[in-house]
Amino acid sequence: MIRAYKFLMRPTVGQAISLGDMLRDHCSLYNGALQERRDAYRHASKTSVKYGQQSGQLKEIRSFDPERQGRWSFSSQQATLRRLDKAFAAFFRRIKTGDKPGYPRFRGVNWFDTVDFPKDGDGCRWNSTPHGPVARVRLQGVGHVRVHQHHRVEGRVKTVSVKREGRQWYVILACDEVPAEPLPATGAVTGIDMGIAHFLTTSDGEHQPNPRHSKRNADALADAQRELKAFGRRKRENRSVKHHRAVEKVARLHRKVRRQRTDHAHKSALTMIRTYDVIAHERLSIANMVRTPKSKPDPEQSGAFLPNGAAAKAGLNRSIHDAGWGVFLGILAHKAESAGRVVIPVDPRNTSRTCPACGHVSGKNRTTQEKFECIQCGHTANADQVGALNIAIRAGLVLPDVA
């Protein structure tokens, strides 16, 4: 199986400067390649530039600018060009499917935070000082950077990535051939219903509270964003020390919320994996669930619009993002693969409207957010538990009689 490891790097002052230079030069390469594609297509000939052509120019670029582009790994620069090529491939794919195209954009230095090395040993070397007291990663143009390795790396290291988050640097290792670690069987099966009032509810009726990390940190984040807004929009080189501190404060609070959400997802998934052998969940399309409602023009008044519930939908969208369903389900699938458990995604349609006792489907069955009462057979239960039961039944799991 494939697994990724993320470790905090502890560079020296000089190494941190070199890492920043590496990101800056890769960002410049990305933007230059994007500009070349734009200019070529805007020409009367409508020329289309491909990755192979731009990769073939790297040798000349490196020899022309040895102090900047020539310092870094050739393979990592190819990976940056592939990153642009994937962005264009996704752009054309969205055009064909009728989605919003989203033309690839130029990246600012603050928005380009990752450099990939496609192969361990080519421009980088994980555990470059194996006999030393601490782990280190060697990066071309930077040197041997100390790494805080808090977990043993298993399998074979395939790719290495360097990522900047605020003022911290991380190394991410993608490994294959990682051995699975199956857990002993428990014989228990369940279905889970994801929600807002409760983070999840099992078919056994167990509710897990929603931590609402963004909501708990909303006041502090709002204050920090107001302080940042007072400085206005300025280029990085024109910002004062206080402006930089305000930017870092906002980024730090966002990072805190993201880490809290990921930590909660890991702990919740681990509890589920240790308790159940088979877990069924809804196959959620979160991108569709958080779409903004379309505007409703007023036919009687030109330029006016009718109420479309956008404010209420925005609040619901914030709650869905705050719950982090996608993060949790991705982590759950990964942990299940490693532990030898089975995770079954099912179609979520009408799971909260179907009576698990008689199978009657009606929107009137769910009288409130919490209460379910079948209008045909009179079966009553918690609405979230009913959804979890229907998910388990739809997945073909054997459950106790609910009648």
Side-chain angles (χ1 to χ4, degrees):
M1 59 176 292
I2 299 174
R3 186 170 183 178
Y5 299 89
K6 183 178 180 180
F7 300 124
L8 176 67
M9 299 169 63
R10 301 189 184 278
T12 64
V13 174
Q15 289 173 339
I17 294 174
S18 296
L19 287 169
D21 292 342
M22 180 174 67
L23 281 184
R24 180 200 64 197
D25 293 339
H26 276 76
C27 178
S28 176
L29 178 66
Y30 182 95
N31 289 336
L34 174 56
Q35 185 66 54
E36 182 185 25
R37 291 192 180 217
R38 287 164 57 101
D39 292 343
Y41 190 75
R42 286 174 176 174
H43 191 266
S45 62
K46 299 289 185 181
T47 305
S48 179
V49 179
K50 303 296 184 181
Y51 161 76
Q53 298 168 273
Q54 294 187 316
S55 179
Q57 300 172 21
L58 269 178
K59 186 175 180 180
E60 182 179 352
I61 293 172
R62 289 166 61 86
S63 62
F64 178 77
D65 190 8
E67 297 298 323
R68 293 185 58 186
Q69 298 296 341
R71 292 175 60 188
W72 316 116
S73 164
F74 190 93
S75 297
S76 68
Q77 293 173 325
Q78 286 181 316
T80 297
L81 294 179
R82 287 194 195 95
R83 179 174 169 180
L84 176 63
D85 193 60
K86 289 180 181 178
F88 271 98
F91 166 71
F92 291 118
R93 174 179 52 79
R94 289 190 292 268
I95 289 178
K96 290 181 179 179
T97 57
D99 297 333
K100 188 176 180 180
Y103 190 83
R105 296 180 295 176
F106 292 102
R107 296 291 179 179
V109 176
N110 293 334
W111 291 94
F112 195 95
D113 56 10
T114 305
V115 171
D116 298 320
F117 297 86
K119 182 179 179 181
D120 183 30
D122 187 359
C124 66
R125 172 64 68 183
W126 166 246
N127 198 17
S128 57
T129 57
H131 303 295
V134 296
R136 296 179 185 272
V137 59
R138 182 189 176 277
L139 304 172
Q140 181 176 329
V142 179
H144 298 268
V145 184
R146 183 180 175 184
V147 177
H148 179 67
Q149 184 182 356
H150 60 273
H151 194 286
R152 184 180 62 185
V153 176
E154 299 181 353
R156 182 169 60 99
V157 178
K158 288 280 290 180
T159 65
V160 178
S161 299
V162 175
K163 183 178 177 66
R164 179 182 60 194
E165 294 184 6
R167 295 186 179 181
Q168 296 177 329
W169 295 89
Y170 293 87
V171 59
I172 303 171
L173 311 176
C175 304
D176 63 359
E177 301 178 6
V178 179
E181 300 175 357
L183 295 175
T186 64
V189 299
T190 191
I192 58 174
D193 178 75
M194 311 300 298
I196 299 298
H198 301 101
F199 177 67
L200 66 82
T201 301
T202 68
S203 53
D204 303 326
E206 180 183 352
H207 300 288
Q208 186 173 130
N210 187 354
R212 303 181 188 275
H213 297 297
S214 290
K215 189 174 183 179
R216 288 195 287 111
N217 293 275
D219 292 339
L221 183 58
D223 291 341
Q225 288 174 327
R226 276 193 291 269
E227 293 175 8
L228 176 60
K229 190 175 181 180
F231 291 99
R233 294 179 62 87
R234 299 179 186 175
K235 292 184 178 180
R236 183 180 179 87
E237 57 269 18
N238 297 330
R239 294 175 183 173
S240 64
V241 174
K242 289 185 178 180
H243 192 172
H244 281 291
R245 288 175 181 170
V247 172
E248 175 59 26
K249 186 176 181 180
V250 172
R252 185 171 62 250
L253 287 171
H254 278 296
R255 190 161 57 246
K256 176 184 176 181
V257 172
R258 183 173 66 252
R259 287 176 174 176
Q260 287 177 332
R261 188 179 295 119
T262 304
D263 179 70
H264 176 262
H266 273 284
K267 292 176 178 177
S268 301
L270 184 60
T271 299
M272 299 295 296
I273 292 300
R274 287 175 173 173
T275 306
Y276 301 101
D277 286 348
V278 182
I279 303 169
H281 67 80
E282 302 165 283
R283 185 188 291 110
L284 299 175
S285 177
I286 299 174
N288 293 335
M289 296 174 67
V290 297
R291 282 182 177 172
T292 305
K294 294 183 178 180
S295 58
K296 297 180 179 179
D298 189 347
E300 299 180 357
Q301 186 176 358
S302 177
F305 294 88
L306 298 174
N308 63 346
K313 186 64 168 65
L316 176 62
N317 292 349
R318 281 195 298 269
S319 298
I320 292 174
H321 285 304
D322 192 12
W325 297 339
V327 174
F328 168 75
L329 294 176
I331 292 174
L332 180 68
H334 169 75
K335 290 186 181 295
E337 181 184 8
S338 177
R341 304 304 202 207
V342 178
V343 173
I344 306 174
V346 301
D347 186 355
R349 285 178 292 184
N350 293 325
T351 52
S352 62
R353 302 177 179 180
T354 304
C355 177
C358 68
H360 178 67
V361 181
S362 174
K364 298 179 180 179
N365 286 344
R366 189 164 185 170
T367 56
T368 65
Q369 178 67 26
E370 297 184 0
K371 186 178 179 181
F372 180 93
E373 183 175 358
C374 181
I375 60 176
Q376 181 164 308
C377 70
H379 174 73
T380 60
N382 179 273
D384 292 334
Q385 184 183 3
V386 166
L389 281 168
N390 286 322
I391 290 168
I393 292 171
R394 194 166 291 182
L397 305 184
V398 179
L399 294 168
D401 187 12
V402 296

